[in-house]
Amino acid sequence: MLHRTPDILVPEADGHRRGIRGAVTQEMPALTDPLLYSAGDPHEVWRRLREDSPVSWHEYGEHGGYWAVTTHAAGLEVLTEWERFTSTKGIFLRPNFKDPYPGAGTMMALSDPPRHDLLRKAIMGLFTARAVSKMEERTRGVVKSALQGVVEAGRCDFVKDIAARIPLAVSAELLSISMDDVEMLAKVTTEAAENSTDIEGVEAQQAHVEILRHYSEIITEKRRNPGQDLVSALTRAQAEGLDISDDEVILTCDNVIVAANETTRQAVGAGMLALLESPEQWQALRAGELRLKTAAEEFLRWTAPVTHILRTA
């Protein structure tokens, strides 16, 4: 999705370009309406957009609207050409685009190269395939413990009792979290994620305050006793010359922990729903006819925890 602008260009099938203002305004359910996804047919809406108007204008409340870019080619252009389509104005739709977005231009998700590249380089060593593979044993232990509790209880709310408990319990050390704080931070990161749809929400703002307080309290300790974790990596890069203040370190940690918890919880929950709706696939997975790695990749593709992302031209 793109904020209003007069000069976006998108590719057509013949390779030529045309002004985005030639796109058609759509008379259909709002793409941002949760009811479209819970009670409507989003697949048909998106199919019509891709086929009939891959770049279309949509009204969005009293503050104007946005362009919806719905094909792979045009979407890839918007997401990769940061010189024309910036992340620094925010990545979620909000009531008023003219208001400054908290953390814009400082947090990794809200910055463009070269700053984005510098921040990513500082922490990417924590998230390599080799580094993550070392967490496999811990992951199995966390999941086994969560499932054991469900077996003993006889029933559960899968999203709340299983999916929500896994992300931070697995990655606590990586995200600079003590085990004593996992339950509290799992709760507040879920609440904080609501600011993607309600940036003025008091509960979401208070949840972010709790996360910021957590990281502000440990930054000095991690500077004295660094480890293989997020805060240590950022403060180490800071000491080596990275232009990032303590406030920006804390904001970046807030960004990473909320994203890690929310997207994983949604992917696990939606993946379970997909298996319940396709029992033959579940049986094939249990029988070993489908590879677990392939299934995990397919869960991420099929469930798509993030359904939209915004850039400003």
Side-chain angles (χ1 to χ4, degrees):
M1 295 178 177
L2 298 170
H3 183 33
R4 182 194 292 270
T5 178
D7 58 358
I8 303 174
L9 298 176
V10 295
E12 289 194 311
D14 60 5
H16 291 85
R17 295 172 180 262
R18 64 178 174 84
I20 195 170
R21 285 203 177 278
V24 178
T25 299
Q26 293 298 315
E27 297 295 336
M28 58 174 55
L31 298 181
T32 53
D33 185 354
L35 288 177
L36 171 63
Y37 303 92
S38 62
D41 186 357
H43 300 289
E44 174 61 17
V45 171
W46 283 78
R47 184 191 65 77
R48 287 172 55 196
L49 286 174
R50 285 194 297 269
E51 292 180 358
D52 302 334
S53 189
V55 180
S56 56
W57 176 255
H58 298 253
E59 295 296 332
Y60 185 67
E62 60 184 284
H63 298 291
Y66 57 86
W67 294 103
V69 181
T70 54
T71 61
H72 182 273
L76 189 62
E77 180 179 352
V78 170
L79 292 175
T80 55
E81 297 192 12
W82 56 268
E83 297 95 335
R84 293 195 292 145
F85 306 107
T86 182
S87 300
T88 61
K89 304 295 184 181
I91 57 173
F92 294 116
L93 291 170
R94 57 193 189 280
N96 191 344
F97 290 108
K98 295 180 181 178
D99 292 341
Y101 196 94
T106 58
M107 294 192 297
M108 186 163 58
L110 301 177
S111 61
D112 295 328
R115 180 171 181 79
H116 178 275
D117 296 340
L118 292 172
L119 290 171
R120 185 180 181 191
K121 182 180 179 181
I123 66 173
M124 65 185 300
L126 300 175
F127 300 97
T128 62
R130 182 177 181 181
V132 172
S133 68
K134 296 179 180 179
M135 300 168 65
E136 181 175 350
E137 182 177 351
R138 179 183 182 85
T139 303
R140 291 182 182 278
V142 167
V143 173
K144 185 176 181 179
S145 175
L147 293 176
Q148 184 62 41
V150 169
V151 171
E152 293 172 356
R155 60 182 298 165
C156 74
D157 177 326
F158 183 81
V159 173
K160 178 181 178 182
D161 299 330
I162 303 296
R165 292 181 59 187
I166 293 174
L168 296 193
V170 169
S171 56
E173 183 178 354
L174 180 69
L175 297 177
S176 314
I177 304 170
S178 70
M179 293 308 296
D180 293 338
D181 291 330
V182 166
E183 291 292 335
M184 179 273 291
L185 285 170
K187 178 177 182 293
V188 297
T189 50
T190 298
E191 294 171 352
E194 293 301 317
N195 85 330
S196 65
T197 55
D198 182 17
I199 198 169
E200 303 297 336
V202 175
E203 290 186 4
Q205 291 185 359
Q206 183 59 39
H208 278 288
V209 168
E210 292 300 321
I211 297 170
L212 298 176
R213 179 181 293 122
H214 167 79
Y215 282 108
S216 66
E217 289 174 352
I218 66 171
I219 191 170
T220 301
E221 171 61 24
K222 290 296 181 180
R223 192 172 277 126
R224 285 198 301 260
N225 300 298
Q228 295 300 310
D229 60 274
L230 186 62
V231 175
S232 297
L234 289 169
T235 54
R236 188 180 299 115
Q238 185 185 51
E240 294 172 354
L242 177 63
D243 181 20
I244 181 172
S245 67
D246 283 0
D247 285 349
E248 290 167 350
V249 168
I250 295 167
L251 280 172
T252 297
C253 291
D254 173 87
N255 178 208
V256 172
I257 189 176
V258 172
N261 185 61
E262 183 70 3
T263 55
T264 306
R265 178 176 65 88
Q266 291 186 18
V268 172
M272 174 57 75
L273 177 60
L275 289 176
L276 291 171
E277 292 176 338
S278 304
E280 73 284 354
Q281 296 295 310
W282 193 344
Q283 292 303 320
L285 187 62
R286 294 184 64 184
E289 298 171 13
L290 301 176
R291 295 177 64 239
L292 285 173
K293 183 176 181 180
T294 302
E297 293 291 337
E298 185 67 0
F299 284 143
L300 293 174
R301 185 193 72 83
W302 180 252
T303 62
V306 178
T307 55
H308 78 265
I309 202 78
L310 181 115
R311 296 289 185 266
T312 301

